[in-house]
Amino acid sequence: MVQMHTNTEMLFRRWQQNKISKSLAMAELDNQGFTAEEIKPLWEQYCRHCLAKRSSLGWLLMAIGGFVGLIACVLTILDLVPEFRGFLMYILTSASALVALYGCYLVMEKPFEMEH
């Protein structure tokens, strides 16, 4: 069981690096001697693996965007350095909102190639 888990992790990592399509993955597994009943769960496991990585990156980006946005907002309200007011209010707040929204996109949107 441990050997199969290690092999699938290496296989999934290689597929992700090569951005392999579903048809190529199916053909590769077929050439390795897997049956159709074994291929389908492996592909579903790969999809879950990719979605989990994408989702964790999305949550991280949302947290970073939210934190930077909060800091920019507090620094703008405090107005400690008036020369940086425009930078903090417009540039940093906008950038943090974009980062957070991109994180939302990664979490909520399912890639087309991952659909069953």
Side-chain angles (χ1 to χ4, degrees):
M1 181 67 181
V2 173
Q3 182 68 23
M4 181 63 172
H5 183 67
T6 306
N7 287 343
T8 57
E9 282 185 17
M10 290 176 16
L11 182 67
F12 293 167
R13 194 173 304 127
R14 186 170 48 87
W15 283 356
Q16 218 168 13
Q17 288 172 351
N18 295 335
K19 295 182 169 83
I20 197 164
S21 67
K22 183 176 181 177
S23 59
L24 288 175
M26 298 292 180
E28 180 180 336
L29 289 173
D30 191 41
N31 289 339
Q32 290 179 0
F34 286 93
T35 64
E37 293 81 28
E38 296 170 328
I39 291 175
K40 184 174 171 134
L42 272 174
W43 179 256
E44 290 173 358
Q45 185 180 1
Y46 172 67
C47 290
R48 283 192 303 272
H49 170 78
C50 291
L51 289 174
K53 288 184 80 118
R54 179 182 168 109
S55 181
S56 62
L57 175 62
W59 284 107
L60 178 67
L61 289 176
M62 281 192 283
I64 290 171
F67 181 73
V68 171
L70 176 68
I71 297 299
C73 177
V74 169
L75 290 176
T76 300
I77 290 170
L78 292 177
D79 202 19
L80 298 174
V81 184
E83 293 83 25
F84 288 119
R85 182 183 311 134
F87 171 76
L88 291 171
M89 191 180 326
Y90 300 113
I91 304 298
L92 198 56
T93 305
S94 298
S96 65
L98 287 174
V99 169
L101 286 174
Y102 183 66
C104 288
Y105 166 75
L106 290 178
V107 169
M108 294 181 194
E109 186 69 28
K110 187 175 183 181
F112 178 71
E113 64 269 2
M114 295 296 155
E115 292 179 0
H116 302 296

